[in-house]
Amino acid sequence: MAAAAKLLRGAARRPPALRLPAATGRRALGSAPPGVAAGGGSRRAALLAAAAGALGGLGLGLWRRQQQEAAAAASGEDEDEKEDEELRRRFMAPPVSGLRELRRRRRELRSRMELLIMETQAEVCRALAALDPGASFSVDTWERKEGGGGISCVLQDGQVFEKAGVNVSVVFGLLSEEAARQMRSRGKSLKAKDGKLPFCAMGVSSVIHPKNPHVPTMHFNYRYFEIEEADGNKQWWFGGGTDLTPTYLNEEDAVHFHKTLKEACDKHDLKLYPKYKKWCDDYFYIKHRGERRGIGGIFFDDVDSPSKEEVFQFVKSCAKAVVPCYIPIVKRHCHDSFTPEEKLWQQLRRGRYVEFNLVYDRGTKFGLLTPGSRIESILMSLPLTARWEYMHTPPESSKEAEILEVLRNPKDWVH
Amino acid sequence: MAAAAKLLRGAARRPPALRLPAATGRRALGSAPPGVAAGGGSRRAALLAAAAGALGGLGLGLWRRQQQEAAAAASGEDEDEKEDEELRRRFMAPPVSGLRELRRRRRELRSRMELLIMETQAEVCRALAALDPGASFSVDTWERKEGGGGISCVLQDGQVFEKAGVNVSVVFGLLSEEAARQMRSRGKSLKAKDGKLPFCAMGVSSVIHPKNPHVPTMHFNYRYFEIEEADGNKQWWFGGGTDLTPTYLNEEDAVHFHKTLKEACDKHDLKLYPKYKKWCDDYFYIKHRGERRGIGGIFFDDVDSPSKEEVFQFVKSCAKAVVPCYIPIVKRHCHDSFTPEEKLWQQLRRGRYVEFNLVYDRGTKFGLLTPGSRIESILMSLPLTARWEYMHTPPESSKEAEILEVLRNPKDWVH
């Protein structure tokens, strides 16, 4: 934690990242095989660094990071190495950009955000695994050939969790016009050159589907984007949110969940919780059903004010609130007894979850449209099992009708 | 059958439908409550007919049809009544446009198409019900407040079928720009006035999900569109197809299915089967998975040549081929034994079916975007149950890998 905190604070142990002028563009960089790069002399290395610069310094190829790490290791910086070792133990896997690279550009927000999402992934996975002792997270690291990669942690078919996924991804490259359209759908105007925009997107994203119908499904996602327009102007913004999808309504849980989120927001600005609570209710709306996916939480996107630092601190507070939001609810109900009818209702609600994610969710759509996306990580959000019955309508005044009422008419849980 | 055939032939027992000049537009028509309309005199009736004319004669409100049927019944046309009685017995429910109205405009293609889709629905439902004697179809008729309605026949949780739906819909009104964009996505340029286009769409649509993993899922859909542009020009086109989605590959079934479709196509033009077989393989492509939904069949859309009559006759042949395509396959395998592992693989394939339908299917998207659509009928295509496992990969040379290979690289089943 200390090492991560140090990196997160951006303690200046080294000069800031060197920026070389733009040169030949990234196609050459992307297509250079690792073997060739490793064998290159200093002129070649300079050229490659310059090529990366043409991308606006949005990231570096994995092969290049490995090369740098090898070189740095040889020069023997023992103290950094010790800190890195601690982070390696804490994190679920080595960060996509490499610890040395993150250290090199520690003052940059994208580095601090990458460390935050790694921390959050590790924290949440540890908290979940502690509740489901027989099960364990499978950890997959993957590379995206167009640039970047990710770490997918999935626990499947445990005692407590049916499917729990916590993913980190750090991807960069060129955004297709179609994907860009998805991103700017909230009014971001982006000036593309030849229909392509260099971008960098990173985030931690998680969906937890428990087995017991009395334990709600939880989702959170915190993300950061950088995008470079044709004129060299760089846009950046944050997005994210945490929301709860119960099968049955439990008011005490709903209040606890929203209250914890509100506290995280209130530390930064009292206007944030009401605004992002409403945004959440609006975003997770299954239009064709006339109901929300769940009982909400907070949701925000395209946030680029008041300042990069302030938004980052707010996002950090939200990410830190995930465990205290959700884990007490799981603990409270994971041993509750339930009937086959309650399990069936859970399965029907899982069907609705699938409908929202595949038809409306911007993150999913963006993922499916981004070339080289890791589909298994994107669709990890889908439940293990789901059900669709034709014309299923719960009886009036039933517990099933009670939650439907709240999904149709969102409530204020905290005043 | 004789009566339907007579109507389908368009035997001229009455003068063709009267066309009155356009007048006040359809909003008044749509908002006039049944009670008001029933009490209207002949001037009012003429006005309403004229209002319908403004829509390009694309259809009439249900309340108006009832009024006409009552009036016609009173005048006592016994022979027509006898024919109608026979159709009423054959069909799953009275046609949306009403038998008398269909008789009145019997020469028009939209009337003949409506009778064809009603016939097809009844034929398929009877054939399926005969194989699942303990189960029965629930029949729901529904009205769309913006214009038109439908008949949904669903058999759920039977011995043989997990979920089998056969829907007819006949809808008309004004198309939103977003829905129009979906329709013209294959290059149809439509000149809208104020972003709205009067349209009429009708079709029969069906998805059959059997219980036994050795019985494939089958889908078919035959549809007809009329759309009126701002300059009064009317565009029309047909679309449709029949396709098979097995859990496991059975070559004999695949050949039988494709051969029966080919025979139906070959009666009209030898070029049709190869063209529409390829279109089917292309259309049912789950891009993010790199695999097709099933082993194909035929698919076509936007077909408006060589002539309305010839395309209709082709569509009729295809619709008549549904039962001989599929029913023998169900009979052959519905009592096959299967293992829990085979059932599980079926459930994973059902998950893919959901992915295709919610992410890519144009019909589903069009339905979800059309205001007043009957969601339960559109989403009836989703299976009763589905499953998503993270990173599931069948072992090499397994039966599961065999079907995946065919889904990745479609085969020619008939030479």
Side-chain angles (χ1 to χ4, degrees):
Chain A
M1 186 61 188
K6 203 167 181 185
L7 275 177
L8 286 167
R9 276 197 308 272
R13 293 173 51 91
R14 296 218 203 155
L18 186 68
R19 284 284 170 83
L20 294 172
T24 56
R26 76 174 295 275
R27 195 159 299 169
L29 176 70
S31 60
V36 174
S42 66
R43 267 185 68 189
R44 180 169 189 98
L47 182 69
L48 290 170
L55 235 193
L58 291 180
L60 293 161
L62 282 179
W63 63 269
R64 182 146 184 254
R65 184 224 320 156
Q66 286 159 355
Q67 186 187 23
Q68 288 175 327
E69 291 199 354
S75 75
E77 288 146 331
D78 289 346
E79 200 182 331
D80 287 356
E81 194 53 57
K82 227 187 283 171
E83 283 181 1
D84 287 357
E85 193 50 45
E86 193 190 324
L87 288 180
R88 265 184 220 111
R89 270 197 305 273
R90 289 181 51 76
F91 292 166
M92 301 300 282
V96 171
S97 301
L99 285 170
R100 296 215 161 249
E101 171 64 13
L102 290 175
R103 180 178 303 285
R104 193 183 65 77
R105 49 175 166 87
R106 53 157 56 90
R107 293 185 172 200
E108 291 177 39
L109 207 125
R110 62 190 168 123
S111 303
R112 296 163 66 203
M113 183 68 181
E114 189 169 344
L115 287 168
L116 173 63
I117 62 184
M118 291 301 296
E119 279 282 328
T120 306
Q121 180 184 51
E123 244 175 60
V124 174
C125 286
R126 261 195 300 274
L128 296 170
L131 295 179
D132 206 341
S136 65
F137 275 93
S138 75
V139 178
D140 294 312
T141 61
W142 49 274
E143 288 189 25
R144 179 172 170 272
K145 87 172 185 305
E146 294 83 356
I151 302 145
S152 293
C153 301
V154 179
L155 183 162
Q156 197 166 270
D157 225 352
Q159 286 293 306
V160 172
F161 301 108
E162 190 183 273
K163 202 167 167 191
V166 192
N167 291 342
V168 152
S169 71
V170 179
V171 303
F172 48 83
L174 295 170
L175 205 62
S176 76
E177 269 210 285
E178 199 171 359
R181 207 178 306 130
Q182 294 287 334
M183 291 178 86
R184 65 184 152 186
S185 65
R186 297 203 71 85
K188 280 243 172 257
S189 156
L190 297 165
K191 293 173 283 296
K193 195 178 169 183
D194 307 328
K196 296 280 184 186
L197 297 132
F199 82 106
C200 169
M202 63 177 72
V204 57
S205 169
S206 171
V207 179
I208 316 297
H209 294 292
K211 283 209 159 151
N212 193 311
H214 299 299
V215 185
T217 287
M218 191 269 291
H219 159 254
F220 74 89
N221 167 233
Y222 290 95
R223 55 193 182 273
Y224 174 67
F225 289 90
E226 282 181 359
I227 199 156
E228 190 181 332
E229 296 184 88
D231 61 5
N233 178 43
K234 256 186 238 168
Q235 293 198 9
W236 60 267
W237 68 94
F238 289 89
T242 304
D243 63 277
L244 201 70
T245 305
T247 296
Y248 290 102
L249 184 62
N250 180 307
E251 298 229 2
E252 195 186 336
D253 294 345
V255 170
H256 164 80
F257 187 80
H258 277 269
K259 216 176 139 204
T260 312
L261 289 173
K262 184 174 185 295
E263 282 163 9
C265 294
D266 285 357
K267 275 190 258 174
H268 301 271
D269 185 335
L270 292 177
K271 288 190 209 103
L272 297 180
Y273 171 78
K275 186 176 168 190
Y276 295 161
K277 190 270 183 197
K278 187 184 177 305
W279 199 341
C280 190
D281 287 335
D282 293 345
Y283 178 78
F284 291 103
Y285 184 54
I286 309 174
K287 196 180 167 192
H288 62 267
R289 298 285 190 183
E291 49 187 58
R292 273 105 208 132
R293 188 177 77 172
I295 61 159
I298 55 168
F299 179 90
F300 56 93
D301 202 0
D302 294 340
V303 173
D304 54 7
S305 67
S307 73
K308 223 186 229 189
E309 184 59 33
E310 281 164 289
V311 186
F312 175 69
Q313 291 302 334
F314 164 66
V315 164
K316 194 172 153 187
S317 292
C318 293
K320 294 282 167 208
V322 169
V323 166
C325 254
Y326 183 57
I327 295 297
I329 299 176
V330 182
K331 279 185 181 158
R332 203 178 299 151
H333 300 290
C334 65
H335 302 297
D336 286 6
S337 64
F338 59 87
T339 66
E341 292 71 31
E342 288 169 338
K343 189 70 189 169
L344 195 135
W345 176 244
Q346 181 201 53
Q347 293 298 296
L348 290 170
R349 298 312 308 170
R350 296 263 152 99
R352 296 290 212 272
Y353 208 91
V354 172
E355 286 178 32
F356 179 84
N357 286 21
L358 294 182
V359 178
Y360 300 103
D361 186 56
R362 285 179 63 204
T364 305
K365 282 190 187 178
F366 176 73
L368 297 181
L369 288 170
T370 307
S373 284
R374 187 170 190 262
I375 295 304
E376 286 291 341
S377 299
I378 294 164
L379 295 184
M380 154 229 91
S381 67
L382 301 179
L384 193 60
T385 53
R387 184 176 178 94
W388 285 268
E389 279 184 27
Y390 175 70
M391 297 288 278
H392 185 282
T393 314
E396 259 183 75
S397 311
S398 61
K399 286 190 306 168
E400 290 78 15
E402 183 190 26
I403 182 81
L404 271 185
E405 169 58 27
V406 172
L407 300 176
R408 284 173 189 154
N409 302 296
K411 278 179 72 168
D412 282 331
W413 300 102
V414 195
H415 300 284
Chain B
M1 185 62 188
K6 204 166 179 184
L7 275 177
L8 286 167
R9 275 197 310 274
R13 295 174 48 94
R14 298 219 200 154
L18 185 69
R19 285 283 172 84
L20 293 173
T24 54
R26 75 175 293 277
R27 194 159 298 169
L29 177 70
S31 60
V36 174
S42 65
R43 266 185 71 188
R44 179 167 189 100
L47 182 70
L48 290 170
L55 234 194
L58 292 180
L60 293 161
L62 282 179
W63 63 268
R64 182 147 183 251
R65 184 226 317 158
Q66 286 160 353
Q67 186 187 24
Q68 288 172 329
E69 293 199 353
S75 74
E77 287 146 334
D78 288 347
E79 202 183 329
D80 287 359
E81 195 50 57
K82 229 188 283 172
E83 283 180 1
D84 287 358
E85 192 49 46
E86 193 191 321
L87 289 180
R88 264 183 222 114
R89 270 197 304 273
R90 287 180 54 74
F91 292 165
M92 302 300 282
V96 171
S97 300
L99 285 170
R100 298 216 159 247
E101 172 63 13
L102 290 175
R103 181 178 301 286
R104 192 182 67 75
R105 48 174 167 88
R106 53 157 58 86
R107 293 185 172 199
E108 290 177 39
L109 206 124
R110 63 189 168 124
S111 303
R112 296 162 68 203
M113 183 68 180
E114 189 170 343
L115 287 168
L116 173 64
I117 62 183
M118 291 300 297
E119 279 281 328
T120 307
Q121 180 183 49
E123 245 174 58
V124 173
C125 286
R126 262 196 299 275
L128 295 171
L131 296 178
D132 207 341
S136 65
F137 276 93
S138 75
V139 178
D140 295 312
T141 61
W142 49 273
E143 290 189 24
R144 180 174 170 271
K145 87 172 184 302
E146 295 83 354
I151 302 146
S152 294
C153 302
V154 179
L155 184 162
Q156 196 165 271
D157 226 352
Q159 285 295 306
V160 173
F161 301 107
E162 190 182 274
K163 201 167 168 191
V166 192
N167 291 343
V168 152
S169 70
V170 179
V171 303
F172 48 83
L174 295 172
L175 205 62
S176 76
E177 269 209 286
E178 198 170 359
R181 208 178 305 130
Q182 294 287 334
M183 291 178 87
R184 64 185 154 186
S185 64
R186 298 201 72 85
K188 282 248 168 248
S189 156
L190 297 164
K191 294 175 285 293
K193 194 179 169 183
D194 307 327
K196 294 282 184 184
L197 298 131
F199 82 106
C200 170
M202 62 177 73
V204 57
S205 170
S206 171
V207 180
I208 317 296
H209 293 293
K211 284 208 159 152
N212 192 310
H214 299 298
V215 185
T217 287
M218 191 269 291
H219 159 253
F220 74 89
N221 167 233
Y222 290 96
R223 55 194 182 274
Y224 173 67
F225 289 91
E226 282 181 359
I227 200 157
E228 190 181 330
E229 296 184 87
D231 60 6
N233 178 42
K234 256 184 240 169
Q235 292 198 9
W236 59 268
W237 69 93
F238 289 89
T242 305
D243 63 278
L244 201 70
T245 305
T247 296
Y248 289 103
L249 184 62
N250 179 306
E251 297 229 1
E252 197 186 335
D253 295 344
V255 171
H256 163 80
F257 187 79
H258 276 269
K259 216 175 140 205
T260 312
L261 288 174
K262 184 175 184 296
E263 281 162 9
C265 294
D266 285 357
K267 276 189 258 172
H268 301 270
D269 186 337
L270 292 178
K271 289 190 210 101
L272 297 180
Y273 171 77
K275 185 176 168 190
Y276 295 161
K277 190 268 183 198
K278 187 184 178 305
W279 200 341
C280 190
D281 287 335
D282 294 344
Y283 178 78
F284 291 103
Y285 185 55
I286 308 173
K287 196 179 168 194
H288 61 266
R289 297 285 189 182
E291 49 185 61
R292 272 106 210 131
R293 189 178 75 173
I295 61 158
I298 55 169
F299 180 90
F300 57 93
D301 202 359
D302 293 340
V303 174
D304 55 6
S305 67
S307 71
K308 221 185 232 188
E309 184 60 32
E310 283 165 288
V311 185
F312 175 68
Q313 291 302 333
F314 163 67
V315 165
K316 194 171 152 185
S317 292
C318 293
K320 294 283 166 206
V322 169
V323 166
C325 255
Y326 183 56
I327 296 297
I329 299 175
V330 182
K331 280 186 181 159
R332 204 179 295 151
H333 299 291
C334 66
H335 301 299
D336 287 5
S337 63
F338 60 86
T339 66
E341 292 72 30
E342 288 169 338
K343 189 69 190 171
L344 194 135
W345 175 244
Q346 180 200 53
Q347 293 299 298
L348 291 169
R349 298 312 307 170
R350 295 264 152 99
R352 297 289 214 272
Y353 208 91
V354 172
E355 286 178 31
F356 179 84
N357 286 21
L358 294 183
V359 178
Y360 299 104
D361 187 56
R362 285 179 62 207
T364 305
K365 281 189 187 178
F366 176 73
L368 297 182
L369 288 170
T370 308
S373 283
R374 189 172 188 262
I375 295 306
E376 286 291 340
S377 299
I378 295 164
L379 296 184
M380 155 228 90
S381 67
L382 301 179
L384 192 61
T385 53
R387 185 176 178 94
W388 285 268
E389 279 185 27
Y390 175 70
M391 297 289 278
H392 185 281
T393 314
E396 259 184 75
S397 311
S398 62
K399 286 191 305 167
E400 290 77 16
E402 183 191 26
I403 184 81
L404 270 187
E405 168 57 28
V406 172
L407 300 176
R408 284 172 189 155
N409 302 295
K411 277 180 72 167
D412 282 329
W413 300 102
V414 194
H415 300 285

